Amino acid sequence: MVKPLKPIFLYSLNPHRNSNFRRFTHLGRLQFSSKPDFFEDNYRLSFIISKVLDILSNPRLHWQTSAELNSLSSKLRPRHVGKLVEIHGNTEVALQFFYWVSKRHFYKHDMSCYVSMLNRLVFDKKFVPADHVRILMIKACRNEGELKWVIEYLSELKRKGLGDSLYSFNTLLIQLGKFEMVETAKSAYQEIMSSGTEASLLTFNTMINILCKKGRVEEAKLIMSHIYQRELSPDVFTYTSLILGHSRNRDLDAAFVVFDRMVQDGIDPNAATYTTLINGLCTEGRVDEAMDMLDEMIEKGIKPTVYTYTVPISSLCAVGREKEAVDLVVSMRKRGCEPNVQTYTALISGLSQSGLLEVAIGLYHNMLRKGLLPTVVTFNILITELCGAKKVDRASRIFHLIEAHGYTPNTITYNALIHGLCLVGNIERAMVLLSEMLKVGPAPTVITYNTLINGYLKRGFLDNAMRLLDLMKNNGCKADEWTYAELISGFCKRGKLDSASALFEEMIKHGLSPNQVNYTALIDGFSKEEKVDDALALLKTMEARGCTPGIETYNAIINGLSKQKRLLEAEKLCNKITESGLLPNVITYSTLIDGLSRNGGTHLAFKIFHDMKRRNCIPNLYTYSSLIYGLCLEGQADNAESLLREMEQKGFAPDYVTYTSLIDGFVALGRLAHAFLLLRQMVDKGCEPNYRTFGVLLKGLKKECQLLSGEVSVLHERVYSSTASNNDVSFELLCTLLDRMSEIGCEPNAGTYCTLLLGLSREGKTYEADQLIEHMEEKGFSPTSAVYCSLLVSYCNNMKVDAALEIFDSLVQQGFRPPLPIYQSLICALCRRSRLKEVEVLFENMLGKQWNNDEIVWTILIDGLLKEKKSELCMKLLHVMESKSCPISFQTYLHKAERKAALQMREAELWLSLTFKELTFCRSNAQGSISIVVNSHLLMAFYMSSKVGIGPEETRAAILIDFLTHTPQSKGTSMNSCCFL
């Protein structure tokens, strides 16, 4: 929102002769007019004004038809017009020019022009035209802040003689209603009523409408009484506004009472009346009644407008009646009512949410072909739905179209695209969008930060998630229950229960009441780490604090109990679920079944399986997969396969987990041929094997090779022994796997090779991966960028830096943008090889790309170089960023200092030295409370140093005091910090 501007006060002096007036109007122009182009020459500005002034002042020239003025008019800007209005000698001519230029299609007055014109008219006491300009000024307000300023300014004009008029009052009320400034409108209304101005029906109706839009019907009824007091009669607009008010309050019975009274009073409802009631019915989900009312208005000869159709179309889509919605569009067009942007937007939204995204996009293009300009709402719907479908590239293209159509993306737009990017794992691009929001707006919301935090957690970047939480707080955005729920869950999934518990306590400390989701996340974490007693204790705490557990809460504990074979306790908890009014669901039963199946209790698992079917609880894929796993674990692979067939007959499609368990079962029994047959079935049904699936088959092939080798050894009376571990995968074994796949008609494709390559890279088997790539290329396939990235990281870990650089250069040349972890791996590997010059070149090249600067520091400097104990190089690269104007938040400086403090004690001296260098930079560039926070980390440096006896205490204290006393932002905290030392 634009901040209210300070009012400009009039000087009762002659504008043509007094320098004070000229100085005042000049200030007014500076405050309001658009800033001149940075390179515009003052001479050029003066030249345009001078030329136009000459034309306007020529009595022999009819300036309105002047070709020269027409040519110059395209160059006129509000700052020119404001100046011309101020300095022209004839007020009437200035006014006519003011009107004339406002009608040019390329020009629009800003507030400074209205100020200049009104100041002059009021000074000359030309109050009638001043009233007209005042009305135009009110109508020109673009936002609440601007209108507030105009009200203050016009109040000052009243004291200079510009009296009130009913027209201007009504215009002001209408504009206040447009910006929903209800309290200000009430004040303006009271002023009208107390000013002696005779209010019209429009005045009352406008005020009633403003109140009813907010559901404030009782206040609107009080205004309606004023209509009767003035011996006026309510009209259709009055009644329709009251109907709207009741509809906003979701009181349709009262709305229809007003409708009936309106008809009894002999006032015919119009299209707006019916539209309001139809919209109210749709909002309440009474779509059929709304459609009946639409038919009623048509029967009565009232022509529905495009707005009448829009909400029913949207409502029909929302309840899955897309065909009826499309038919309604066809019907409206037959009646000569063409769909507008809102109609298309409603239909696009409905179709998208009904799973018909491609149809919705086609409708969007059809709208463009018809010359209809989409709104930000239209764009937001498309971006949201495309991102939900993981079609982020298409969503990004639409995102960039918003500004091309003259709009500015809002928070919803950014949040939708950030969500989509996080959904596909592109957190780096999402963080760039956060940078844009922080730099130019709109301001990120808690939803923005929560989405990004969740994106980091899904990729396992726990440190970055916490850093983002700190950045969020530092930027004035308060974390909510969902923020902590995501963090607690994320840390629990990675086995970081201590951190998760600390976050839970921090949440309470900040005054947030843990909800069911927060408790369940931590309980689930305890249960998965087999700390079931802690989970049960937390469940009691949850209940004691008045937070009711949900079925998910109980399921989490049942999972932990069943894994520990504490079946009696799990059964009691199931009884407790029923007693609390909840019903055990498929997850409850499947959780028990899974726990039993994994711990040799498959026979008990089947009892529960049959029991859940008796209770009409339909098993799901997870249920069957757990049983299949349990059977295979017990050597009953044939029974497991029979269960697979039953599962398919029930309409469940087995996934890679199910098939892999079954394949593993047959491999364990030595029935490798049947295992490969299952692989063929798996692929034929569109289920792609993963690396674990192939790993199971490789294990079987290796076992088969060893057996064959053993038989040959017996024949030759030699003993054969294999020293290779089960994890060893040779290129020859991989080729055997690929050949066996071909033999069973399951020809390896690009996906097969890429799956194997990704697995090999993760395991650090670069030699085998290189050989497999050659084999792959011989077959006419090429690895994906994901494969190359994974192999590059593996090369770096194995110190094969040149091979990694070769891959990196190849990817960049092909236009691929490597993510930051790739840069981190390369930079750290180069450091370990002491190739520091290459590090600097690579880092500087990276800065030329579009990144979030904080994330660069987090990933490259903190998690990369500081982790490698390369503090000096870290500082050097930080200064490279500063020299290239890559600003980072102070919170990031803080994180870097914390990471340094975590280094080993022998690094403390270097840490302290570098910290002073960094703090010197901070002192010279300090903003806000930067040094206040830094002080505590400087103290941390002293503490670290004292552990290894660096320097006398007096010296360290003196340095700290010097820093504190020479940093203005630290005043008021210096003594406290020093006392701590």
Side-chain angles (χ1 to χ4, degrees), residues 454 457-458 460 462 484-496 500 521:
N454 188 41
L457 293 170
K458 281 184 176 178
L462 305 185
Y484 285 100
E486 295 285 1
L487 285 164
I488 292 165
S489 177
F491 275 85
C492 285
K493 284 176 183 176
R494 300 285 170 173
K496 306 284 187 180

Side-chain angles (χ1 to χ4, degrees), residues 209 217 397 630 737:
N209 186 255
V217 181
R397 287 196 291 272
L737 171 68

Side-chain angles (χ1 to χ4, degrees), residues 164 169 187-199 230:
D164 297 322
F169 262 131
S187 298
Y189 176 76
Q190 291 298 330
E191 189 176 343
I192 296 171
M193 300 303 288
S194 61
S195 67
T197 304
E198 190 64 34
R230 298 297 193 281

Side-chain angles (χ1 to χ4, degrees), residues 256-267:
F256 276 102
V257 167
V258 174
F259 179 78
D260 293 339
R261 179 183 166 189
M262 172 184 179
V263 175
Q264 290 168 8
D265 287 349
I267 298 170

